[in-house]
Amino acid sequence: MSREIERILDLLQSQGRLSREQWRFLLENRSKELAAEVFRRASSLRDQVYGKRVFIRGLIEFTNYCRCDCRYCGIRRSNRKASRYRLTKEEILGCCEAGYELGFRTFVLQGGEDPYFTDERVVELITAIKGRFPDCALTLSIGEKPRESYAAFRQAGADRYLLRHETANEAHYELLHPKEQTLKNRMECLKNLKKLGYQTGAGIMVGSPGQTIDCLIDDLVYLTELQPEMVGIGPFIPHHDTPFRDESAGSVELTLYLLGLVRLLLPRVLLPATTALGTAAEGGRELGVKAGANVVMPNLSPENVREKYLLYDNKIHTGKEAAECLGALKESMAAIGYEVVVDRGDFAGL
Ligand code: SAH
């Protein structure tokens, strides 16, 4: 390990930020050895803040209707082949019920931007879930909304919101999205969410088409400014019915490296080892935890809709990522020294 690299890692940990040139140095000089050092530091930091504990979130993919047309995403509105579904309030509550029994204390309602779910209906859902499970945290991941909508959801009891920024580079954002979707609005949404007191999650896909080292530097600088409580990072995986069908998937190694760097940048961050990571590599989520992650999000959606919520090809939906297989997940985490806990798992220091 060069002295220069050690010095930059020390700086990152002591001042919580780096210059663009220092980030570039870390990204361009990635090696097995450097990655191992980043993972070692990141793990030790995560253990200091959260202990050897992994938090679980029950993911409920409640609708795959979407008004957006993100070029990477399998449920984009232009994909006429997607078989669309939405869950009823009773079905969603049923998922929570099953999840609660299994030990979940956070539910994540994720979906496309489905116009059927008006603010009124979302508020009704939040009220029902928080009324029935008052000891649980509720996370929303339903895309870009006006500030007033976010305010109403928060008022109704939503605790957290996941909205990956996808890329902090303007030109790259335009490559990934149609004109009507702008980085400016995405960032405005994230700012509003933070201001409204949500534990807020940003994040990116690693290796999305057109992503360069400069884009990743933009992402790391943006995360430094935003100081999100959560960061979702997973590899891009092509979907066969999208414009990016022939693009290659993102690198698992780079994804892990970025997880480690983000832990060093934001020591208290809630960092999931994502389903995409588990899809891209056997044992991917365990590798994610070893790199610095401390959250996994098993799927609580009803069996019959899981294969329809297909953001990318080959999405795993029957193995350890499924909520029913929590036992297997617990074992594989125990095997690397981590305990899957029954806990809301809030951001440390709230
Ligand atoms: N509609 C909501 C949430 C659903 S999409 C929103 O826009 O926030 C959740 C995340 O899945 C996206 O933020 C994106 O980063 C990721 N995703 C979408 N398509 C993907 C693909 N092809 N490969 C990997 N991740 C993908």
Side-chain angles (χ1 to χ4, degrees):
M1 188 76 42
S2 85
R3 293 275 284 279
E4 179 60 3
I5 288 181
E6 296 273 3
R7 192 184 70 85
I8 295 179
L9 291 177
D10 287 344
L11 262 179
L12 171 56
Q13 292 192 246
S14 62
Q15 55 179 27
R17 61 170 57 242
L18 288 179
S19 68
R20 293 188 69 88
E21 290 61 44
Q22 289 163 336
W23 280 124
R24 187 182 308 283
F25 196 84
L26 290 183
L27 292 169
E28 284 179 349
N29 290 288
R30 177 165 63 94
S31 64
K32 261 208 163 120
E33 194 195 7
L34 172 52
E37 174 65 8
V38 166
F39 300 158
R40 192 187 62 72
R41 289 177 181 237
S43 284
S44 131
L45 203 49
R46 184 255 338 266
D47 295 353
Q48 275 172 46
V49 178
Y50 288 104
K52 290 199 156 282
R53 302 191 303 158
V54 169
F55 302 117
I56 47 173
R57 319 298 193 200
L59 183 62
I60 304 169
E61 300 158 334
F62 71 107
T63 173
N64 72 350
Y65 283 88
C66 196
R67 66 180 183 86
C68 298
D69 219 14
C70 311
R71 299 198 172 97
Y72 44 84
C73 184
I75 63 168
R76 64 201 301 266
R77 73 158 182 262
S78 294
N79 182 10
R80 299 278 137 68
K81 294 198 186 144
S83 153
R84 305 285 169 172
Y85 74 91
R86 61 172 69 91
L87 302 182
T88 63
K89 183 169 127 189
E90 285 63 40
E91 286 172 317
I92 295 169
L93 284 166
C95 294
C96 296
E97 195 71 59
Y100 193 91
E101 291 302 313
L102 289 166
F104 288 88
R105 294 297 177 267
T106 293
F107 303 118
V108 182
L109 287 185
Q110 187 177 86
E113 295 193 19
D114 179 356
Y116 171 85
F117 286 100
T118 56
D119 288 1
E120 206 182 340
R121 289 196 171 109
V122 174
V123 163
E124 198 185 310
L125 268 177
I126 298 168
T127 311
I129 294 173
K130 292 294 285 194
R132 190 117 142 227
F133 307 97
D135 55 332
C136 293
L138 183 56
T139 307
L140 299 178
S141 179
I142 52 177
E144 298 174 27
K145 309 270 175 187
R147 187 183 198 280
E148 304 76 64
S149 309
Y150 289 150
F153 304 158
R154 179 92 184 101
Q155 184 81 30
D159 304 279
R160 309 181 187 143
Y161 205 105
L162 302 175
L163 185 75
R164 291 189 183 175
H165 65 286
E166 313 296 358
T167 172
N169 181 285
E170 195 102 37
H172 188 216
Y173 199 91
E174 280 177 28
L175 190 92
L176 300 180
H177 303 96
K179 263 203 182 55
E180 65 267 22
Q181 295 175 239
T182 64
L183 178 59
K184 188 160 168 275
N185 194 56
R186 199 85 179 168
M187 288 180 165
E188 187 66 27
C189 287
L190 282 159
K191 208 159 82 190
N192 286 335
L193 290 164
K194 283 279 283 186
K195 276 203 215 133
L196 287 163
Y198 283 95
Q199 294 171 53
T200 304
I204 60 166
M205 290 173 290
V206 176
S208 58
Q211 186 179 65
T212 61
I213 290 220
D214 271 286
C215 296
L216 293 175
I217 297 172
D218 289 340
D219 291 322
L220 290 159
V221 169
Y222 175 64
L223 292 176
T224 310
E225 284 162 12
L226 182 70
Q227 294 285 312
E229 285 78 20
M230 310 177 281
V231 176
I233 300 179
F236 162 75
I237 303 173
H239 182 289
H240 61 280
D241 288 320
T242 63
F244 291 157
R245 61 176 65 86
D246 296 324
E247 302 288 337
S248 36
S251 142
V252 169
E253 284 69 34
L254 181 55
T255 304
L256 295 169
Y257 188 59
L258 285 162
L259 285 172
L261 290 181
V262 167
R263 169 66 60 199
L264 296 184
L265 173 67
L266 304 166
R268 297 184 297 169
V269 76
L270 292 161
L271 196 59
T274 59
T275 306
L277 183 58
T279 297
E282 181 74 29
R285 295 195 305 183
E286 291 74 18
L287 292 174
V289 170
K290 286 188 179 172
N294 65 337
V295 172
V296 284
M297 300 171 67
N299 200 322
L300 277 181
S301 313
E303 294 268 10
N304 63 322
V305 305
R306 278 185 203 172
E307 55 192 19
K308 295 185 182 169
Y309 196 82
L310 203 64
L311 306 179
Y312 46 82
D313 288 343
N314 307 315
K315 183 170 159 242
I316 46 176
H317 59 87
T318 51
K320 262 180 289 178
E321 78 298 334
E324 316 76 70
C325 301
L326 209 53
L329 180 69
K330 284 181 183 162
E331 275 174 32
S332 72
M333 289 299 159
I336 58 169
Y338 287 82
E339 187 196 355
V340 171
V341 294
V342 177
D343 193 299
R344 278 170 54 117
D346 283 292
F347 182 69
L350 268 190

